[in-house]
Amino acid sequence: MGEASERETRIMYAESKREINVISRSFEYYPKVRKELIEASERGVEIKILLLGHRFVDERTRKVQSEVMKMVRSDIEAEIRLSKTSLPLRGSIVDPSYDYRTGKAIFVVEDPEMPLYLRDAAVTENPSLVAGMKKYFDLIWEYETITDNTQKT
């Protein structure tokens, strides 16, 4: 994650009121947004984290996932699941509404051929697009994930 997208993500988390949905490979940037997520959790914001399933990542990424999830579990209340399928998007969806009135999102399209530092992130406050991304998140969360029981502390 680049500097600009980290800054946008921190702002989104700091301004969240109801929910934060994270879609990430390993959530390796958690230490950079940790303060904002702790504060959001303390405000009662619901936090869900969707990580790329173990069959889609290498051993190094699994170790990063494990370490990050230990930190997350010691810091905040969050639901964590692993995907059963590959994920075409990564990012965060904050305070979406299905009536298309609120929300903000930041996302990156998966492109294995391009290094992470060269990928562009898109930020949107378009409530219809945010609601669409939330539907994408909810469908994957409900039907294409497993609960990550392997990393309980």
Side-chain angles (χ1 to χ4, degrees), residues 13 20 22 27 30 33-42 47 49 72 76:
Y13 292 174
I20 297 171
V22 177
F27 206 16
Y30 176 71
V33 298
R34 187 177 191 180
K35 175 183 172 282
E36 290 78 11
L37 277 177
I38 290 171
E39 290 171 356
S41 180
E42 289 171 350
I47 301 169
I49 301 168
V72 167
I76 64 175

Side-chain angles (χ1 to χ4, degrees), residues 119-132:
R119 297 181 196 172
D120 291 326
V123 178
T124 184
E125 291 185 56
N126 179 300
S128 296
L129 179 54
V130 174

Side-chain angles (χ1 to χ4, degrees), residues 1-3 5 28 108 111 113-121:
M1 185 181 281
E3 218 174 282
S5 42
E28 69 283 349
V108 175
D111 183 354
E113 301 298 314
M114 184 167 300
L116 285 172
Y117 68 91
L118 290 177
R119 297 181 196 172
D120 291 326

